[in-house]
Amino acid sequence: MNAKALKRWLPSGRWAVIAVPFLWLLFFFAIPFLIVLKISFSRLAIAMPPYTPILEYVENALTLRLNLGNYAALFGDSQYVLAYLSSIKIAAVSTLFCLLIGYPMAYAIARMKPSTRNIALMAVVLPSWTSFLIRVYAWIGILDANGILNRTLMALGITDAPLRILYTPLAAYIGIVYCYLPFMILPLYANLVKLDNRLLEAAYDLGARPWQAFARITLPLSRSGIIAGCMLVMIPAVGEFVIPEMLGGPDTLMIGRVLWGEFFNNRDWPAASAVAIVMLLLLLVPILVFNRQQQKELEGRLA
């Protein structure tokens, strides 16, 4: 094989770079998604695996049998609908609190000196170096009736009896906000640190007050960071299972817990797969909004 033929046979550098993430998405997203989608159209069976095949070869004919009963049960049972709505509500409220807490922190870090800024960023990222389960277990010790928080409040005379926080929806909110706060701070910081301070100085010279300059300059220019942070928090929070299970208690209804129960307790793989597919379709909406915002921002830069 001569050099020209070898050059035509080998992929170009651009395609070689694209092939790596493409294969990654193919093997770790597309193929597993198709498997789950296939199971969602099957029927429950006493077998291993516990579902019937959707393709059957009967009398020299290949027959496709799709069972839509799993999806009909999701929308016909109010428990599933309440679980989806509750998951979206908990994720949205947690995302709002992450934004309210994370924006001032990101803004303060972006305005620090470079040496101090690196230390502050390290403090934000450092908790993520420990195990996710260990951090959630730590909150059990903090929020328990005999935990650090209640003992401190009683020692200061603020309360006479321990507050019931653990195993309530409030504890789930606290855990989600704590665990996902870095995912809000980092994209906000990456956006705020690039802002041109001369715009603020020009606003001050024209008589704008600090809150006016923030509302008219800083906040609009940081919109892409806000959207990115909200997507990074809300999308995984909708399907969260560990935090509601360990901190939220039985009153915290989320679709991740329902999915776990269908898959492991009931061993109803088709129903669990249908729950997962519908949850993924719900998450496509914020993902499409995020992609549209990114495209608009890119078009604005190229214009």
Side-chain angles (χ1 to χ4, degrees):
M1 182 180 295
N2 55 31
K4 291 184 178 180
L6 181 63
K7 186 177 180 180
R8 288 195 302 266
W9 182 81
L10 290 176
S12 62
R14 182 179 61 180
W15 287 107
V17 172
I18 295 175
V20 175
F22 178 79
L23 292 175
W24 178 274
L25 291 175
L26 176 65
F27 286 106
F28 295 102
F29 176 76
I31 295 178
F33 172 78
L34 293 177
I35 294 174
V36 174
L37 182 64
K38 181 201 72 171
I39 297 175
S40 69
F41 287 109
S42 62
R43 297 179 182 273
L44 181 64
I46 303 177
M48 183 55 66
Y51 58 87
T52 60
I54 62 174
L55 286 175
E56 293 183 353
Y57 188 74
V58 180
E59 297 180 356
N60 298 326
L62 189 63
T63 305
L64 176 64
R65 296 183 178 180
L66 299 180
N67 176 32
L68 301 178
N70 298 317
Y71 292 96
L74 294 184
F75 298 101
D77 191 343
S78 60
Q79 189 72 10
Y80 291 110
V81 178
L82 290 176
Y84 282 116
L85 295 178
S86 178
S87 299
I88 295 173
K89 183 195 74 172
I90 292 175
V93 174
S94 301
T95 302
L96 177 61
F97 277 105
C98 283
L99 178 61
L100 295 177
I101 298 172
Y103 197 102
M105 294 178 65
Y107 185 86
I109 296 173
R111 294 296 177 265
M112 291 179 180
K113 297 179 180 179
S115 57
T116 310
R117 185 188 304 162
N118 294 333
I119 298 175
L121 286 175
M122 180 66 68
V124 171
V125 178
L126 192 61
S128 300
W129 292 4
T130 60
S131 172
F132 184 82
L133 289 176
I134 292 177
R135 286 183 283 149
V136 177
Y137 268 118
W139 276 104
I140 295 178
I142 295 173
L143 302 177
D144 190 35
N146 296 322
I148 298 173
L149 178 61
N150 277 310
R151 284 186 294 179
T152 302
L153 294 176
M154 294 175 66
L156 296 175
I158 299 177
T159 59
D160 298 330
L163 298 177
R164 184 177 179 274
I165 302 177
L166 189 62
Y167 304 129
T168 63
L170 177 60
Y173 283 115
I174 294 173
I176 293 175
V177 170
Y178 166 75
C179 291
Y180 288 101
L181 186 60
F183 296 98
M184 178 67 72
I185 294 176
L186 294 178
L188 284 172
Y189 162 78
N191 184 273
L192 291 170
V193 77
K194 297 184 295 184
L195 294 182
D196 192 351
N197 292 328
R198 293 176 297 179
L199 298 175
L200 298 176
E201 295 174 359
Y204 297 148
D205 292 340
L206 294 174
R209 296 181 179 181
W211 68 268
Q212 292 176 325
F214 173 80
R216 297 183 178 182
I217 297 176
T218 305
L219 191 61
L221 292 178
S222 61
R223 183 177 59 180
S224 60
I226 293 173
I227 295 176
C230 290
M231 294 300 102
L232 289 176
V233 172
M234 185 169 180
I235 290 174
V238 170
E240 182 60 52
F241 164 75
V242 175
I243 296 174
E245 180 70 18
M246 297 177 63
L247 300 179
D251 295 333
T252 307
L253 181 63
M254 292 192 72
I255 199 62
R257 300 183 67 181
V258 175
L259 178 61
W260 173 276
E262 292 289 356
F263 193 86
F264 291 99
N265 296 337
N266 301 335
R267 292 192 59 80
D268 193 344
W269 289 20
S273 300
V275 170
I277 293 297
V278 173
M279 182 175 65
L280 181 60
L281 294 178
L282 290 176
L283 294 178
L284 282 178
V285 176
I287 292 174
L288 292 176
V289 172
F290 175 68
N291 288 335
R292 184 175 179 82
Q293 177 63 30
Q294 293 293 99
Q295 291 178 358
K296 287 184 178 180
E297 183 180 356
L298 182 60
E299 291 174 358
R301 291 178 181 177
L302 297 176

